[in-house]
């Protein structure tokens, strides 16, 4: 494929073109230091000029959040430019005050915000709001504090004995301080002595202790112990890949993004760790993105153990942190107290400076795509930010997304290949189980476990080896239907069937969360012969406990892992072999390394295969390959059983042979005829509302206006109902646009949207480089 051919421009190729423009933008603005600033109001995106008062000269910088006077009140704004003059100089009012002691956005983050706004068609204000965690945005610098108590004047044994008789609590506090090196926090002392606060006040007056206020970090890993680990010896393939990464570190401005394409268990993480080690030696920092679902305690533990000497300088950002923990981790980065940042999608906005490398692990994961506006893709932003920061970007995966793969084939990215597992370990043997044949063997035609998989699990239990069973569907039963009329119990707000959760005895909608009791008879015809059908992880767990009553079993899904640290504790128990069998959703499909796991069972491989989405087969192949990779990572050979009703599917067959190359070639041939990404960009327009006709008519009107002066490089489909026709009580319609050049089409969209007034009951959305068409 020729890169000059517009039909072969992949989804990420536009990043470099636009990044180059933004890298040059604002250069003059950011090097000027004057007393006038242009700010953007957070609430309206309006840009206004203000004066910097003398008392705030040293605090207000590019990227600062400030309070400005506006129509008799204070408004929050962000400093976008430093100016030397303004046409409204005589009318300018001074800024009221600065929010925080330091600018909240770096210069490069401001440039990144502009890139996102232009590419994904959303206001800069909305992007900047997304960049700041809510806990930081609403309560900046709201740190916890504690009192640090240390021994003052020294008492001899006689004086201590006298104090013990007259004031035993005071003597006990002195004793506690001595036991802990002469110092402790007030909160610690209060755990032992509830009246410590009053007693400390008395001791301070006597000069026996001193008291000072300190900041208390809400560290999510404060109770964890991390044993130092040494770098491992690299294989020949790892060494070659690492050498290429080192070359990019030496010449970052000339480096292309790199794809580390390695099979599961090939040691990609070890390459990451050693590359980060070199970056830290140079006095720079590292940003590591991991899919939310893979951001397990095990992943964080590997980084904390490898860099144990600076474990306090590793910051973690993800959605499972409390607001206080997220606030403190963000400020650790902001204040320059973090050398390594590990986080999920939003960590791409971490205010890290002096970045030496950006790493995106499992770059194919769809969770890197934001579902709400701005609908950015963190992998693509990693490439952009690396360009802005002047550092290499390393993308890693065993099953790269086809956009990234094509970029590497065309030379836009450098491709580093790891074809073998470390230490000579072999890939697991994958067996396909045709469930159509298994269905005939059972009386009711239903089976969760095939006979082959049941026997394989029993063998592992006998040998004291471990098993992982994967099913990407929660709940007990997936549908409740009437045997008489065939009606299915559906959510009244969404066009989906309700899932039965046995533990709560409730029907639950997995789209809007609505919960209700199951009916005792059909609500359509009144017949009592209603039947629960299908199965999820809850039913699979119950069934497997019945088959293996002595096995130690745990279930991992969002229903069972709701308490804080519950996932961490469950995985720890599994790693220490206190559990025999783990059943779960995609929470256990990737990012885990358990040497004693020799069997993986995929209970239903067909769930995502038949979705009305051109990426359905790609996701199925990726998921099967990733979950199969959990098996055989230790000394013993692994085995995988994939249960399916569609055994001849190319996605399943290629996954069986771990043949990424073969799968990519046949899938790309199919995409080329669409054309679909990576041979074009897609923009998905959506319209939703309580009244179906209103939403459909609005989108059709938009499509008619868009057709006029549509860029020649763009193709427009027809307005149609979304595959999920109704969600949250709103009817949904969509329009698919395809183009070889995003910029002209986005500009055209912006013009049409600006001149169109939407009905009050209709919401319109757009998703540039959409990952899902559902």
């Amino acid at each position: 494929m020729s890169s000059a051919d517009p039909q072969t421009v992949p989804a990420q190729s536009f990043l470099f073109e636009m990044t180059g423009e933004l890298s040059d933008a604002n250069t003059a603005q950011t090097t000027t230091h004057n007393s006038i600033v242009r700010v953007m109001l957070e609430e309206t995106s309006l840009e206004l000029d203000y004066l910097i008062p003398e008392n705030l000269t040293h605090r207000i910088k590019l990227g600062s959040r400030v309070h400005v006077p506006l129509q008799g009140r204070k408004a929050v704004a962000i400093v976008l430019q430093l100016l030397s003059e303004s046409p409204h100089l005589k009318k300018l009012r001074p800024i009221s005050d600065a929010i925080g002691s330091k600018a909240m956005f770096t210069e490069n983050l401001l440039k990144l915000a502009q890139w996102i706004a232009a590419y994904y068609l959303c206001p800069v204000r909305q992007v900047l709001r997304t960049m700041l965690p809510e806990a930081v945005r609403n309560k900046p610098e709201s740190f916890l504090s504690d009192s640090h108590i240390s021994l003052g004047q020294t008492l001899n044994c006689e004086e201590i004995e006298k104090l013990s008789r007259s004031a035993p609590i005071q003597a006990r506090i002195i004793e506690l301080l001595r036991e802990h090196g002469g110092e402790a926090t007030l909160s610690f002392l209060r755990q032992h002595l509830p009246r410590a606060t009053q007693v400390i006040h008395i001791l301070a007056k006597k000069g026996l202790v001193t008291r000072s206020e300190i900041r208390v970090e809400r560290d999510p890993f404060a109770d964890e112990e991390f044993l130092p680990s040494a770098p491992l010896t690299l294989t020949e393939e790892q060494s070659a890949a690492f050498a290429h990464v080192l070359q990019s570190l030496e010449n970052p401005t000339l480096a292309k993004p790199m794809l580390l394409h390695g099979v599961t268990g090939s040691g990609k993480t070890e390459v990451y760790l050693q590359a980060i080690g070199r970056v830290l030696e140079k006095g720079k920092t590292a940003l590591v993105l991991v899919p939310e679902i893979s951001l397990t305690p095990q992943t964080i533990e590997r980084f904390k153990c490898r860099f144990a000497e600076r474990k306090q300088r590793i910051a973690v950002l993800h959605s499972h942190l409390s607001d206080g923990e997220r606030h403190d981790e963000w400020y650790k980065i902001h204040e320059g107290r973090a050398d390594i940042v590990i986080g999920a999608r939003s960590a791409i906005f971490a205010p890290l400076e002096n970045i030496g490398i950006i790493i995106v692990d499992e770059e194919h994961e769809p969770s890197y795509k934001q579902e709400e506006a701005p609908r950015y893709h963190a992998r693509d932003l990693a490439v952009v930010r690396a360009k802005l920061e002047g550092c290499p970007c390393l993308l890693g995966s065993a099953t790269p997304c086809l956009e990234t793969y094509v970029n590497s084939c065309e030379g836009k990215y450098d491709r580093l290949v790891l074809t073998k597992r470390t230490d000579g370990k072999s890939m697991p043997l994958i067996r396909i189980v045709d469930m159509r044949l298994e269905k005939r063997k059972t009386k009711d035609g239903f089976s969760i476990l095939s006979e082959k998989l049941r026997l394989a699990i029993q063998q592992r239990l006998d040998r004291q080896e471990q098993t992982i069973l994967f099913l990407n569907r929660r709940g007990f039963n997936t549908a409740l239907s009437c045997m008489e009329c065939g009606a299915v119990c559906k959510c009244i707000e969404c066009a989906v069937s309700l899932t039965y959760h046995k533990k709560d005895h409730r029907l639950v909608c997995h789209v809007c969360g609505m919960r209700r009791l199951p009916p005792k008879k059909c609500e359509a015809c009144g017949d009592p012969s209603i039947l629960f059908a299908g199965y999820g992880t809850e039913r699979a767990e119950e069934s497997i406990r019945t088959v293996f009553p002595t096995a130690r079993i745990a279930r991992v899904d969002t229903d069972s892992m709701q308490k804080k640290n519950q996932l961490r504790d469950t995985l720890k128990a599994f790693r220490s072999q206190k559990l025999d069998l783990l059943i779960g959703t995609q929470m256990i499909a990737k990012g885990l390394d358990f040497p004693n796991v020799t069997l993986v069972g995929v209970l239903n491989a067909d769930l995502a295969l038949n979705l009305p989405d051109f990426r359905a087969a790609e996701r199925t192949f990726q998921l099967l390959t990733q979950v199969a990779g959990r098996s055989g990572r230790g000394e013993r050979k692994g085995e995988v059983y994939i249960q399916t009703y569609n055994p001849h599917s190319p996605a399943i067959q290629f996954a069986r042979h771990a043949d990424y190359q073969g799968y990519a070639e046949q899938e790309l041939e199919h995409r080329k005829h669409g054309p679909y990404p990576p041979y074009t960009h897609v923009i998905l327009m959506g319209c939703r509302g309580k009244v179906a006709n209103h939403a459909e008519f609005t989108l059709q009107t938009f499509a008619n206006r868009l057709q006029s002066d549509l860029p020649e490089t763009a193709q427009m489909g027809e307005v149609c109902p979304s595959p999920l026709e109704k969600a949250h009580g709103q009817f949904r319609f969509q329009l698919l646009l395809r183009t070889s050049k995003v910029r002209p089409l986005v500009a055209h969209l912006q013009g049409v949207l600006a001149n169109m007034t939407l009905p009050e009951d209709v919401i319109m959305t757009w998703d540039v480089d959409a990952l899902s068409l559902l």
Side-chain angles (χ1 to χ4, degrees):
M1 294 178 294
S2 169
S3 59
D5 183 354
Q7 286 298 315
T8 65
V9 178
Q12 294 158 295
S13 63
F14 181 59
L15 305 181
F16 299 104
E17 180 184 356
M18 197 158 189
T19 303
E21 293 176 2
L22 286 175
S23 297
D24 298 330
N26 290 337
T27 302
Q29 301 164 4
T30 58
T31 55
T32 307
H33 298 280
N34 290 293
S35 57
I36 302 172
V37 294
R38 179 158 297 159
V39 305
M40 181 189 67
L41 302 179
E42 285 193 350
E43 58 188 34
T44 64
S45 293
L46 185 66
E47 294 188 10
L48 300 171
D49 292 353
Y50 284 89
L51 294 172
I52 303 177
E54 286 188 15
N55 63 319
L56 295 178
T57 301
H58 299 293
R59 288 182 59 192
I60 294 180
K61 308 292 181 184
L62 193 71
S64 293
R65 289 180 86 214
V66 295
H67 282 125
V68 296
L70 183 71
Q71 298 178 342
R73 61 185 177 88
K74 283 185 178 181
V76 178
I78 299 169
V79 176
L80 294 184
Q81 297 180 41
L82 303 173
L83 305 175
S84 57
E85 57 183 23
S86 170
H88 313 290
L89 183 59
K90 294 183 179 180
K91 299 179 181 179
L92 295 186
R93 301 172 67 185
I95 288 173
S96 301
D97 58 75
I99 301 174
S101 55
K102 182 182 174 184
M104 304 291 264
F105 302 96
T106 66
E107 178 181 339
N108 285 333
L109 281 177
L110 289 178
K111 292 178 182 180
L112 183 63
Q114 293 170 354
W115 188 93
I116 294 170
Y119 190 81
Y120 293 105
L121 190 56
C122 57
V124 174
R125 167 182 62 87
Q126 190 175 32
V127 179
L128 293 174
R129 182 180 179 84
T130 300
M131 284 183 166
L132 283 184
E134 188 175 355
V136 174
R137 190 171 62 247
N138 294 340
K139 295 181 179 180
E141 298 187 359
S142 54
F143 303 103
L144 283 184
S145 62
D146 200 350
S147 295
H148 180 262
I149 312 299
S150 57
L151 288 172
Q153 110 183 30
T154 305
L155 298 179
N156 57 38
C157 295
E158 184 179 338
E159 290 172 324
I160 290 178
E161 187 176 344
K162 181 179 179 181
L163 186 65
S164 298
R165 292 194 297 269
S166 61
I169 297 179
Q170 293 180 30
R172 176 60 181 147
I173 287 179
I174 297 293
E175 183 182 345
L176 278 172
L177 289 171
R178 283 184 166 183
E179 290 174 358
H180 291 83
E183 59 183 10
T185 61
L186 178 59
S187 59
F188 170 79
L189 296 173
R190 285 167 62 181
Q191 290 175 5
H192 294 77
L193 299 165
R195 293 177 53 200
T197 303
Q198 298 93 321
V199 178
I200 289 293
H201 183 68
I202 296 171
L203 290 172
K205 279 188 173 182
K206 294 180 179 180
L208 296 179
V209 300
T210 59
R211 178 175 179 172
S212 59
E213 293 302 308
I214 59 171
R215 185 195 294 183
V216 177
E217 295 285 343
R218 287 163 285 197
D219 183 358
F221 305 99
D223 300 330
E224 295 288 312
E225 291 187 15
F226 300 99
L227 300 176
S229 67
L232 304 177
T233 302
L234 299 180
T235 65
E236 187 176 338
E237 288 183 332
Q238 283 177 310
S239 297
F242 182 55
H244 190 99
V245 174
L246 291 183
Q247 188 177 0
S248 296
L249 292 176
E250 294 298 325
N251 300 284
T253 56
L254 302 177
K256 297 177 183 178
M258 294 166 285
L259 168 62
L260 183 58
H261 186 181
V263 298
T264 56
S266 60
K268 294 185 289 295
T269 304
E270 184 61 30
V271 176
Y272 302 157
L273 291 169
Q274 296 201 22
I276 292 171
R278 291 299 181 92
V279 166
L280 297 180
E281 288 175 6
K282 292 175 175 288
K284 292 181 176 289
T285 61
L287 175 58
V288 183
L289 298 188
V290 184
E292 184 80 50
I293 210 159
S294 296
L295 197 58
T296 62
Q298 188 182 82
T299 304
I300 297 163
E301 180 184 5
R302 294 185 71 174
F303 282 85
K304 293 258 187 182
C305 289
R306 178 60 57 86
F307 304 105
E309 75 283 356
R310 57 173 88 206
K311 62 184 179 183
Q312 296 303 323
R313 296 187 65 82
I314 299 176
V316 179
L317 295 173
H318 60 86
S319 63
H320 297 300
L321 299 179
S322 67
D323 285 346
E325 289 170 342
R326 192 178 294 112
H327 172 279
D328 288 0
E329 290 293 289
W330 189 90
Y331 271 102
K332 180 192 287 188
I333 305 165
H334 184 250
E335 294 173 350
R337 294 183 289 111
D339 299 324
I340 303 171
V341 175
I342 309 169
R345 178 178 60 227
S346 61
I348 190 60
F349 303 129
L352 194 63
E353 298 191 74
N354 194 27
I355 300 177
I357 191 169
I358 298 178
I359 296 171
V360 184
D361 190 30
E362 308 289 5
E363 65 83 31
H364 65 278
E365 264 294 310
S367 62
Y368 282 126
K369 178 75 169 173
Q370 172 85 352
E371 294 181 355
E372 302 296 329
R375 293 175 172 82
Y376 65 88
H377 198 303
R379 177 200 62 222
D380 293 353
L381 296 195
V383 176
V384 177
R385 187 168 183 188
K387 187 74 173 178
L388 292 172
E389 301 283 355
C391 72
C393 180
L394 179 59
L395 313 176
S397 177
T399 55
C401 77
L402 292 177
E403 287 88 343
T404 302
Y405 176 71
V406 169
N407 272 338
S408 69
C409 291
E410 295 183 342
K412 296 182 176 71
Y413 294 179
D414 289 333
R415 185 164 173 245
L416 319 175
V417 182
L418 305 177
T419 62
K420 301 174 184 176
R421 284 189 161 185
T422 57
D423 298 330
K425 302 184 186 81
S426 59
M427 297 296 289
L429 177 64
I430 301 179
R431 305 180 189 274
I432 305 297
V433 180
D434 190 342
M435 294 302 286
R436 296 174 300 180
L437 302 178
E438 292 292 325
K439 187 176 181 180
R440 297 170 191 165
K441 299 177 185 178
T442 58
K443 293 180 180 179
D444 58 0
F446 173 76
S447 176
I448 292 178
L449 281 182
S450 63
E451 182 63 15
K452 293 177 181 178
L453 181 54
R454 186 193 68 78
L455 289 173
I457 294 173
Q458 186 62 58
Q459 289 173 358
R460 269 58 185 191
L461 292 173
D462 295 341
R463 299 200 299 250
Q464 296 184 332
E465 297 171 4
Q466 291 172 294
T467 300
I468 290 177
L469 296 180
F470 171 75
L471 177 64
N472 208 19
R473 179 177 280 169
R474 295 183 291 126
F476 194 84
N477 297 109
T478 54
L480 177 60
S481 59
C482 175
M483 296 180 66
E484 182 66 26
C485 70
V488 177
C489 196
K490 291 189 174 184
C491 175
I492 58 173
E493 297 292 323
C494 310
V496 295
S497 60
L498 295 172
T499 299
Y500 177 60
H501 288 246
K502 187 176 182 180
K503 181 181 178 181
D504 304 323
H505 188 55
R506 290 291 187 276
L507 291 173
V508 180
C509 175
H510 286 175
V511 175
C512 71
M514 187 274 290
R515 306 168 67 87
R516 55 164 291 190
L517 285 168
K520 295 182 179 179
K521 58 184 179 180
C522 177
E523 295 175 328
C525 70
D527 193 278
S529 58
I530 52 178
L531 178 70
F532 289 100
Y535 65 96
T537 49
E538 188 181 12
R539 185 175 182 186
E541 179 190 15
E542 181 182 276
S543 176
I544 291 162
R545 286 186 184 278
T546 303
V547 177
F548 305 106
T550 62
R552 300 166 297 174
I553 300 171
R555 173 164 56 96
V556 176
D557 56 27
T558 53
D559 296 321
S560 61
M561 297 287 120
Q562 294 186 344
K563 295 180 182 178
K564 188 170 183 179
N565 297 329
Q566 193 171 3
L567 175 61
R568 180 194 67 185
D569 295 341
T570 301
L571 295 179
K572 270 189 175 181
F574 193 66
R575 170 172 278 277
S576 59
Q577 300 181 31
K578 295 177 181 178
L579 295 170
D580 302 311
L581 202 151
L582 208 59
I583 306 167
T585 58
Q586 57 181 343
M587 292 176 72
I588 61 171
K590 46 187 80 74
L592 300 177
D593 188 354
F594 299 115
N596 197 43
V597 172
T598 60
L599 176 64
V600 166
V602 179
L603 300 183
N604 189 344
D606 306 326
L607 290 178
L609 194 56
N610 298 316
L611 292 175
D613 192 317
F614 69 89
R615 285 192 172 94
E618 181 183 5
R619 288 185 185 138
T620 298
F621 172 81
Q622 290 169 337
L623 195 54
L624 292 179
T625 304
Q626 292 287 340
V627 73
R630 301 313 104 201
S631 179
R633 298 173 79 96
E635 298 301 322
R636 299 166 182 170
K637 187 172 176 60
E639 197 172 16
V640 180
Y641 282 83
I642 298 177
Q643 297 184 164
T644 175
Y645 288 91
N646 191 7
H648 302 296
S649 162
I652 292 175
Q653 286 298 325
F654 280 117
R656 175 188 184 183
H657 298 289
D659 184 3
Y660 177 88
Q661 190 79 25
Y663 172 75
E665 288 176 2
Q666 68 91 29
E667 181 66 16
L668 287 171
E669 191 63 31
H670 168 71
R671 300 275 185 95
K672 191 180 297 184
H673 292 299
Y676 287 108
Y679 301 108
T680 187
H681 297 267
V682 294
I683 300 179
L684 186 67
M685 304 297 302
C687 224
R688 63 180 191 267
K690 296 284 186 182
V691 181
N693 290 342
H694 291 185
E696 183 179 19
F697 179 77
T698 301
L699 189 57
Q700 188 61 61
T701 302
F702 172 81
N704 294 339
R705 296 185 183 183
L706 194 67
Q707 186 65 57
S708 177
D709 297 326
L710 187 71
E712 294 181 358
T713 55
Q715 296 176 318
M716 186 169 69
E718 299 290 334
V719 173
C720 62
S722 299
L724 179 58
E725 294 184 23
K726 188 181 181 184
H728 302 278
Q730 295 179 320
F731 294 92
R732 306 167 74 244
F733 294 85
Q734 65 185 36
L735 171 67
L736 185 66
L737 303 169
R738 288 178 285 184
T739 180
S740 58
K741 295 182 179 180
V742 163
R743 186 160 36 179
L745 181 55
V746 167
H748 185 49
L749 284 173
Q750 190 171 18
V752 174
L753 288 168
N755 293 305
M756 186 171 176
T757 303
L758 298 178
E760 292 183 358
D761 62 339
V762 171
I763 297 172
M764 183 174 285
T765 62
W766 48 91
D767 187 0
V768 179
D769 290 336
L771 277 192
S772 174
L773 304 186
L774 302 181

